C-alpha cells in the first residue's frame, strides 16, 4: 500500500515522503524557484484521475536546493507509475540524474494516498500557518478540483 506524506511546511521547506513496503524516499522540498509545484502536482493528479484523459504522462519539477527533482507520473490503464529522479544541481543534466524512487500500482490507491496527505495539509493549514511557513498561498482551487476527482476515483 502506497503511503505519501507532506509534512507541515517550515521556513519555506516541506518534508515529503513516499513509502510502498518495498521502496521508500524522503526529502525536503523548497517553495522556490518552482513556486507552482504544489498546485501543479494537484493539477497533474486531477488530470490523471480523468477516466478518459488524453494525456497520461506528466513531469513535475521541484527542488531541494541545490538538488533538483523530476516527479514523473505515467498512467497506463488503471495503473500509475511514479518515478522520482534527483539531479545534483539545478543544471538538470540528464546524464547525472539518479532514479531515487519508483512505484507502480493501482491509480486509485495513489490518488487515495495523495488525497489523504492533501486533506491533512488542508486541515492543518491554519494551525501550521501554512501560507507564512510555505511562503506560498494554499492552493485552494486546485485542492478542491483534485478532491472532487479523487472522490470519484477512490
Amino acid at each position: 500500500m502506497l503511503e505519501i506524506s507532506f509534512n507541515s511546511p517550515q521556513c519555506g521547506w516541506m518534508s515529503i515522503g513516499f513509502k510502498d513496503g518495498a521502496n521508500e524516499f524522503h526529502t525536503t522540498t523548497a517553495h522556490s524557484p518552482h513556486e507552482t509545484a504544489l498546485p501543479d502536482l494537484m493539477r497533474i493528479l486531477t488530470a490523471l484521475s480523468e477516466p478518459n484523459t488524453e494525456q497520461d504522462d506528466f513531469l513535475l519539477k521541484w527542488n531541494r536546493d541545490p538538488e533538483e527533482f523530476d516527479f514523473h507520473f505515467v498512467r497506463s490503464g488503471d495503473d500509475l507509475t511514479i518515478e522520482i529522479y534527483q539531479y545534483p544541481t539545478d543544471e538538470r543534466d540528464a546524464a547525472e540524474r539518479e532514479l531515487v524512487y519508483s512505484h507502480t500500482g493501482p491509480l486509485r490507491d495513489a490518488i487515495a494516498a495523495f488525497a489523504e496527505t492533501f486533506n491533512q495539509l488542508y486541515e492543518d493549514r491554519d494551525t501550521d500557518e501554512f501560507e507564512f511557513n510555505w511562503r506560498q498561498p494554499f492552493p485552494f482551487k486546485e485542492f478542491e478540483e483534485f478532491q472532487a476527482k479523487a472522490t470519484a476515483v477512490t
Side-chain angles (χ1 to χ4, degrees):
M1 181 63 107
L2 179 63
E3 295 177 27
I4 299 169
S5 61
F6 282 49
N7 295 327
S8 303
Q10 298 294 321
C11 303
W13 297 89
M14 189 181 326
S15 172
I16 65 172
F18 295 78
K19 182 178 176 182
D20 61 19
N23 302 303
E24 191 169 341
F25 172 73
H26 296 277
T27 192
T28 54
T29 55
H31 73 285
S32 74
H34 304 289
E35 293 90 359
T36 62
L38 185 57
D40 286 347
L41 175 59
M42 291 180 186
R43 281 190 284 273
I44 287 169
L45 294 166
T46 299
L48 289 167
S49 299
E50 290 287 342
N52 298 313
T53 185
E54 292 187 19
Q55 184 176 354
D56 58 6
D57 191 322
F58 293 88
L59 186 68
L60 173 75
K61 294 180 179 183
W62 216 339
N63 72 302
R64 181 170 58 189
D65 191 21
E67 296 92 354
E68 294 271 335
F69 296 99
D70 281 346
F71 291 70
H72 186 211
F73 299 89
V74 180
R75 180 177 174 176
S76 178
D78 291 334
D79 287 335
L80 179 67
T81 297
I82 302 169
E83 297 174 324
I84 302 174
Y85 293 92
Q86 181 176 357
Y87 300 85
T89 68
D90 63 358
E91 293 176 12
R92 292 181 168 277
D93 182 353
E96 294 186 15
R97 77 179 187 174
E98 175 186 358
L99 180 65
V100 293
Y101 181 79
S102 180
H103 171 81
T104 299
L107 172 69
R108 69 179 179 284
D109 291 352
I111 296 300
F114 276 105
E116 184 177 331
T117 199
F118 292 157
N119 281 337
Q120 193 65 51
L121 277 180
Y122 177 80
E123 289 173 12
D124 294 343
R125 72 190 184 288
D126 292 332
T127 305
D128 294 340
E129 298 180 356
F130 183 91
E131 293 188 7
F132 175 78
N133 282 313
W134 185 233
R135 301 193 170 108
Q136 299 287 333
F138 189 88
F140 289 104
K141 178 181 176 244
E142 293 82 0
F143 173 74
E144 290 172 359
E145 290 171 356
F146 170 72
Q147 287 304 106
K149 291 295 178 186
T151 302
V153 171
T154 55

